[in-house]
Structure formats: structure tokens, C-alpha cells
Amino acid sequence: MVDLLNFIVWNPNPIIGHIGPVTLRWYSMCWLVGLILGYLMMKKLYQQQHIPEEKFDPLIIYIFVGVLIGARLGHCLFYQPDYFLSSWDHIVEMILPIHHMPDGGWKLTGYEGLASHGGVIGMFIGIYLYCRRNQVGWWIVLDNMGICSGITAMFIRLGNLMNSEIIGRVTDVPWAFIFVQDDSYPRHPGQLYEAIAYGIIFLTIFAFYRKKGPKTIGSGFYFGLCLALIFVFRFLIEFTKEVQEPFEAGLPLDMGQVLSIPLVAIGIWSICTSKKRENDHAIKEEKEMSQKKEIKK
């Protein structure tokens, strides 16, 4: 029999309250806080790098829409394709924040299920479209995102913790959580592990940026460091988690680990090639300065 006094009993209400027909959830609010902090951080970076302010505001729209659509589709297609692709009603649920009730009506539920890997893919697509339309360097935006992403990821995982979802495996460690909404067994608080790790990763990458300065933005170093650190940790932390969907039980690696491998590879490649991009940028700047001096003569 489990002694509840030896562990942390976790049973928060996932709903904050209601404003008319709209339900406010901790999960959604944590996403919102994470995105706002990322927004403020990115705006500060743009100012430090003397990028025109009019080029900043469209970026947030592209990223917000890209992350939201990518995270939602990622959850539906990576983790529950058997449900969401089984009928037109479920396809509608995949796209809109509503649920088809047994009595034939529809209920506004919010997006119950967002996948971080899908959010990253959606972010890449959003950034690509933004760069094409606004003539901002692809690697500049990616590096700035690499600096900011950890703080947003931290709050997303805190949202998972408040939702009592993505729970860990049964354990007897003294900091184990008993997620009352799921069962009465002490489990690894995997969401909290990730939130703490992402906060540390954010501080680490920001410290590199403070030391190296804005001139190194555009090399791909910060982007690669962010991807490599976050998804190496994500790969390892999956060993402490329960499988999210039944089909993962028969796999040597779960879906989160499978999706992390290519992102880690991209991150390592970006770090390894960042010095060349930095040197190429320095040579380009030197040529531009020489041309300006020639024109003045």
C-alpha cells in the first residue's frame, strides 16, 4: 500500500475559471505566458541587433500561427491518428477547438492536445515564410529563436504539469508525484524535470549570447545549441515517462524519442557549420566596408 505522506500528492484543478462560454485552463495560460515572454525577449534581441522594428511584429504572428497549427496537427497525426483520421467529425475536431458530443451537438473545449515536436516543425515553416516576405536572414531569425525558445518550452511543460498529463513511470524516489487524476502510484514528474531543464538551457544559451555578443547572431550556433540541448534531454527524459499512446508500447523507442533524433542531428550540424557561416559573414562585411571606402574616395 502506498504511503501518501512519503510523496507529493498532485491534484490541481486544470481549470482556472470561466469567462462566459470560454473556459480558462492552466495549460492554455502557461502556453500564453511562455509565448509572451518569448515575444518580449525576441523584441529586445531585435533592438540590440538594430533590426528595424517594423520587421519584428509580423514575426510573432508567423511564429504563433505556425507553432499552434504545428503543435495541434503534430499531436493529432503523431499520437492519435487512429482517432482524428477516422471520421470527418474528428477531422473537424483536429482543426477547430470543439468536440462532437454523443447527442449530436458541439462543445467548445479549447485545443486539448499539443505536441512540442509538431510545434517546432510549424515554427520552422512560419519562420521560412516570414523570412521570404520580410527579407530578414534565415539564420538570424533561427539564432534569435534559439536564444528565446527555452523560456517558452519551460512554461509549456509547466502547463503539462498543471494538467497532470505526460506522467512518468512508477518510482520510489522521494520527490515522486502521485497524480491523483490518473492513479494512486508515485511517479516521476517528467514535466517538472523538463521545465527545470529548459529553464537551465535558456540561461546557458543566453549566457553564451551575452559573452559573444550580437555580432555572432546569424552563424546558426545558438539555434543549433538550442536544438541539440533540448532534444538530447528530451530523448533521455522519455525513459522516465509512461507511453502516451498504446501503439508506443511495442516500439524500442517511443514517438517522442524517434522525433527527437533528427532534431538533435540538425542541431549538431548547425553547431559544427556555424564557424564557417560566421567567417563568411565577416568576409562579406569586410568587402562591403572596402566598397564604401572606395566610393568615398
Side-chain angles (χ1 to χ4, degrees):
M1 185 173 181
V2 176
D3 185 353
L4 298 182
L5 296 178
N6 292 335
F7 304 104
I8 299 168
V9 178
W10 189 252
N11 189 31
N13 188 341
I15 297 175
I16 302 173
H18 302 272
I19 301 178
V22 178
T23 300
L24 296 180
R25 297 176 178 271
W26 283 112
Y27 182 63
S28 301
M29 292 304 297
C30 285
W31 262 83
L32 182 61
V33 170
L35 288 172
I36 289 173
L37 290 177
Y39 165 86
L40 295 175
M41 184 75 188
M42 180 73 87
K43 186 173 185 178
K44 185 68 174 178
L45 293 174
Y46 263 53
Q47 292 171 348
Q48 291 177 355
Q49 296 157 27
H50 306 293
I51 301 173
E53 188 171 347
E54 61 268 20
K55 291 191 175 183
F56 171 71
D57 290 332
L59 173 63
I60 302 307
I61 297 172
Y62 279 92
I63 289 178
F64 178 80
V65 174
V67 169
L68 182 61
I69 294 176
R72 179 58 179 167
L73 293 180
H75 170 80
C76 298
L77 299 179
F78 293 152
Y79 292 99
Q80 291 185 290
D82 54 332
Y83 174 82
F84 285 104
L85 299 179
S86 62
S87 71
W88 284 109
D89 285 349
H90 295 167
I91 290 175
V92 171
E93 291 179 20
M94 179 169 62
I95 300 170
L96 301 176
I98 57 179
H99 178 66
H100 194 205
M101 304 299 290
D103 62 4
W106 292 89
K107 178 183 178 183
L108 181 66
T109 60
Y111 287 119
E112 297 179 328
L114 299 169
S116 58
H117 292 89
V120 171
I121 295 171
M123 181 188 73
F124 286 161
I125 295 172
I127 290 174
Y128 171 75
L129 296 174
Y130 161 82
C131 291
R132 283 195 60 182
R133 186 171 182 83
N134 293 274
Q135 301 300 305
V136 180
W138 165 258
W139 287 105
I140 290 174
V141 180
L142 288 181
D143 267 349
N144 284 325
M145 283 302 304
I147 296 171
C148 300
S149 294
I151 193 72
T152 302
M154 180 181 76
F155 276 91
I156 290 172
R157 281 297 176 252
L158 289 175
N160 293 135
L161 180 65
M162 296 303 297
N163 240 16
S164 296
E165 62 187 1
I166 317 179
I167 61 175
R169 297 181 186 274
V170 174
T171 181
D172 59 357
V173 296
W175 57 84
F177 277 42
I178 295 177
F179 295 96
V180 175
Q181 295 179 31
D182 290 281
D183 54 35
S184 59
Y185 295 102
R187 296 178 177 274
H188 282 290
Q191 322 94 320
L192 187 58
Y193 295 163
E194 286 192 68
I196 293 171
Y198 297 156
I200 293 172
I201 289 170
F202 162 73
L203 293 174
T204 300
I205 296 174
F206 186 65
F208 271 107
Y209 171 72
R210 290 286 300 273
K211 182 178 180 180
K212 295 164 75 71
K215 288 186 177 180
T216 56
I217 291 293
S219 68
F221 173 77
Y222 303 103
F223 166 70
L225 189 60
C226 176
L227 274 190
L229 290 178
I230 282 182
F231 286 102
V232 163
F233 185 84
R234 176 66 190 273
F235 182 92
L236 296 175
I237 201 65
E238 290 295 314
F239 289 113
T240 71
K241 294 181 183 178
E242 286 287 8
V243 296
Q244 295 187 53
E245 299 298 331
F247 75 88
E248 293 180 291
L251 299 176
L253 299 174
D254 67 24
M255 184 58 72
Q257 291 172 313
V258 171
L259 295 172
S260 293
I261 292 172
L263 294 173
V264 171
I266 293 171
I268 293 172
W269 170 81
S270 183
I271 293 171
C272 292
T273 56
S274 63
K275 194 64 179 177
K276 182 179 184 303
R277 280 187 290 274
E278 191 174 333
N279 291 336
D280 290 345
H281 181 68
I283 293 170
K284 182 180 178 182
E285 280 193 336
E286 189 174 330
K287 286 182 178 179
E288 289 176 352
M289 289 181 65
S290 298
Q291 290 172 355
K292 288 179 180 179
K293 287 179 181 179
E294 289 295 327
I295 293 172
K296 287 182 179 180
K297 289 180 181 179

